Amino acid sequence: MKISVLERVYSFIPYSLNKRLIEKRLNTIRINEQLLSCSVAVSSPSLDLQKIVADELDSCVSFIPYCAKPLDNYVCPVSDKQVSRKNRKCLKLNNKKCNIPCSLGDMVDTLKEKGFTKDRILIIDRDSNLFPWLEQKKREGYKYFLPGVGCHYGVGYALKYIQKEIGMEGCIVFIQDYDPLDSSHGVCKSIFDYNSMEKTDRGKRTKISDESLRIIEDILSGKLNLK
């Protein structure tokens, strides 16, 4: 997908403002008043997550960015051995055990417990593999992403395209910095930061928060009352 002029302009917006803008946009959806404090949001006011979980869970897919894998203190055992770049491989996704603390692996565990099969879970390792995958899943009859995971920049960059061009709606989880004071190794803050990760991780340390994981578990279990 080519980047539009508007998106190029958008990429220069400071991250703190970018974060406020995407949350302001999503905050117009009433149930997000409960969810955004946990770094979770729904993409559209028309969504009834409880109904989707009860009646159409088999119409849902999920995508997770590879940067939610561990690095440094805990190294993903299937990372590239030469450049240590994290990738789409995941032992848990292939029904193997992995004892490394990893929020991506924790999300995979949650999804598989709720019946998501390997073909319904995408680990994004390059910008170019998300949109074609979602387009293919839409052609196969899937309707929702539950959840999609990304940083505020990635969500702001992709959400309108996924909604308008692909025609899918769903639930979003925002990944978090391991250390919010470490600006050099946290989430992507511009398109340049985003694109540089096509080649190297640059020591990125991000994760899906425990709170977000609990909320998604409750949503997929039908336990969360959002009315």
Side-chain angles (χ1 to χ4, degrees), residues 7-220:
E7 285 165 333
R8 289 187 184 277
V9 172
Y10 171 80
S11 70
F12 285 97
I13 297 174
Y15 181 71
S16 58
L17 177 58
N18 170 23
K19 185 173 184 285
R20 288 198 298 271
L21 287 173
I22 187 67
E23 289 189 349
K24 182 179 179 181
R25 173 185 167 194
L26 293 170
N27 229 340
T28 59
I29 302 169
R30 184 176 57 82
I31 65 172
N32 282 342
E33 294 175 8
Q34 299 177 57
L35 293 176
L36 277 170
S37 63
C38 304
S39 298
V40 177
V42 298
S43 65
S44 171
S46 63
L47 283 184
D48 184 338
L49 290 181
Q50 288 178 306
K51 186 176 186 303
I52 292 170
V53 168
D55 301 333
E56 298 184 272
L57 192 57
D58 58 356
S59 295
C60 299
V61 297
S62 181
F63 55 86
I64 315 167
Y66 79 115
C67 57
K69 286 188 176 188
L71 192 63
D72 293 340
N73 294 338
Y74 297 101
V75 177
C76 175
V78 289
S79 290
D80 186 284
K81 295 299 186 290
Q82 290 185 324
V83 297
S84 297
R85 186 180 189 275
K86 291 169 277 188
N87 53 44
R88 295 177 66 180
K89 297 176 183 177
C90 175
L91 292 175
K92 289 185 174 182
L93 196 55
N94 289 298
N95 298 319
K96 297 179 181 178
K97 291 184 178 180
C98 181
N99 297 320
I100 299 297
C102 173
S103 64
L104 185 149
D106 291 341
M107 180 64 81
V108 169
D109 283 340
T110 296
L111 292 169
K112 291 181 70 176
E113 285 170 5
K114 303 306 175 185
F116 281 68
T117 49
K118 181 179 178 180
D119 63 307
R120 291 168 57 192
I121 304 171
L122 176 71
I123 297 174
I124 314 164
D125 76 333
R126 297 188 186 278
D127 186 40
S128 57
N129 67 23
L130 173 60
F131 300 118
W133 185 79
L134 287 175
E135 288 167 353
Q136 177 60 39
K137 292 301 170 186
K138 184 66 187 299
R139 288 193 293 270
E140 292 174 11
Y142 294 98
K143 302 176 183 178
Y144 310 103
F145 49 91
L146 187 60
V149 182
C151 61
H152 281 83
Y153 173 72
V155 171
Y157 170 72
L159 184 55
K160 285 186 179 179
Y161 185 87
I162 294 172
Q163 290 174 303
K164 293 185 177 181
E165 301 299 326
I166 300 177
M168 297 183 81
E169 298 278 3
C171 182
I172 302 158
V173 174
F174 294 102
I175 57 173
Q176 307 292 305
D177 296 338
Y178 272 95
D179 180 356
L181 300 179
D182 184 1
S183 59
S184 298
H185 301 96
V187 295
C188 293
K189 294 178 171 60
S190 73
I191 195 167
F192 308 108
D193 199 7
Y194 196 72
N195 285 342
S196 72
M197 291 181 70
E198 293 280 308
K199 296 180 180 179
T200 175
D201 295 321
R202 300 196 312 161
K204 289 292 184 187
R205 290 177 61 79
T206 61
K207 67 177 182 178
I208 305 166
S209 72
D210 292 341
E211 190 174 27
S212 297
L213 285 164
R214 284 194 296 270
I215 291 295
I216 293 302
E217 165 71 26
D218 286 347
I219 288 173
L220 294 175

